[in-house]
Amino acid sequence: MSKFWSPLVNDLVPYVPGEQPKMANLVKLNTNENPFGPSPRVVDAIKAELNDGLRLYPDPEGESLRETIASYHSLKPEQVFLGNGSDEVLAHIFFGLFQHDEPILFPDITYSFYPVYCGLYNIQSKVVPLTESFEINPDDFKQPNGGVIFPNPNAPTGRYLELAHVEEILNSNPDRVVVVDEAYIDFGGESAITLVDKYPNLLVSQTLSKARSLAGLRVGFAVGHPDLIEALNRVKNSFNSYPLDRLALAGAKAAYEDEAWFRKCCDGVISERERVTAALGELGFEVLPSKANFVFARHKDQPGEVLAKGLREQGIIVRHFNKPRISEFLRITIGTVEQNDALIAGLETL
């Protein structure tokens, strides 16, 4: 704390990202990074940008990438907004699209950046409890609010909400923006992007960090009605007019142009997720149904904190949340075959 801090900063409780430990020979399964590298086309595209052009500012609107994403999802470029990772996109959404005179709604167990944004922008919020089986009940979002946001699949549970239930929430809130945060959608779910032209109050955010293996580039986007996108552009251009650099724009575009690599990586994660889920079940774990690149599991006898510590002593890092309702769970990122084998062996030892 400092006398030079503003009152707002004094009261902020920042988001705490997953640990990035500096340990040799680490089996790192705690931050949901893709175990497979990016498309070789991405590397080639970035190398091609390493020239005198770096002295020039990038395209502030990312027009070429917006056109690529729009074409991929059968939309128009004016329906696409780009940001420096989906976290920046979400920050602009909280500031520019949620009404601040009523509380916004999000699940009680969800992405922990949401309450941070509420604190940053002084937005009221109301948490909506998940069911006993850790699912979103659409009926619980049929109440007065200043906007709705939820991940789908949810994080950290990994549970997926079918699009018919997403539509229930949309139809119940025609005068409020409903944001579906789809960081993990490509690992088995159906994207709500298919509903964008049907619902002017729907905004869908995605990231290239997970399924397209570009966490190091920081590229995210949102799609929705052009009026929603215009609001986000107004906020962006009042904050940072050049959010994506030349390397990120080139790499992201190349990633979208290599569909075969994308599908191969997603299929590999899904296959390993099924294998890990089965192995955990044999070891006495309850594993929630997951459509993400991670699983959320608790053991019938062993506390989550004890298991996380025991794995760490073996050089295996998973995520443990010491929070109500989920303190016995471990969130385990799906890694390579070798990493997953090490995880299973480590748990067998414990």
Side-chain angles (χ1 to χ4, degrees), residues 42-101:
V42 171
V43 178
D44 291 342
I46 291 174
K47 287 180 178 178
E49 285 294 318
L50 297 176
N51 53 49
D52 184 63
L54 290 180
R55 67 184 177 83
L56 302 173
Y57 284 113
D59 176 3
E61 303 302 327
E63 183 175 348
S64 181
L65 178 56
R66 286 172 56 238
E67 289 175 349
T68 297
I69 293 173
S71 176
Y72 185 89
H73 292 292
S74 300
L75 299 171
K76 298 175 182 178
E78 56 265 33
Q79 293 177 282
V80 180
F81 174 81
L82 301 177
N84 187 4
S86 62
D87 287 337
E88 182 180 76
V89 174
L90 292 171
H92 294 337
I93 290 169
F94 270 71
F95 186 77
L97 290 175
F98 288 147
Q99 304 303 311
H100 296 188
D101 56 348

Side-chain angles (χ1 to χ4, degrees), residues 156-207:
T157 66
R159 301 209 67 147
Y160 172 70
L161 187 67
E162 297 290 342
L163 288 191
H165 297 311
V166 173
E167 288 197 80
E168 284 186 58
I169 296 174
L170 286 162
N171 285 317
S172 300
N173 297 277
D175 299 321
R176 292 292 184 262
V177 172
V178 175
V179 180
V180 184
D181 183 358
E182 293 187 338
Y184 303 100
I185 194 64
D186 296 310
F187 298 108
E190 183 180 358
S191 175
I193 289 178
T194 58
L195 303 175
V196 161
D197 286 333
K198 183 177 179 181
Y199 294 95
N201 62 326
L202 169 63
L203 194 74
V204 180
S205 66
Q206 288 196 9
T207 177

Side-chain angles (χ1 to χ4, degrees), residues 256-296:
Y256 261 94
E257 292 171 345
D258 195 345
E259 181 72 5
W261 185 271
F262 165 68
R263 293 296 173 189
K264 178 182 176 180
C265 291
C266 288
D267 290 345
V269 169
I270 292 169
S271 176
E272 278 299 287
R273 183 182 69 209
E274 293 174 353
R275 184 173 75 92
V276 169
T277 297
L280 291 174
E282 292 177 0
L283 290 171
F285 282 87
E286 173 196 2
V287 185
L288 298 187
S290 174
K291 293 289 188 181
N293 69 335
F294 60 84
V295 293
F296 205 50

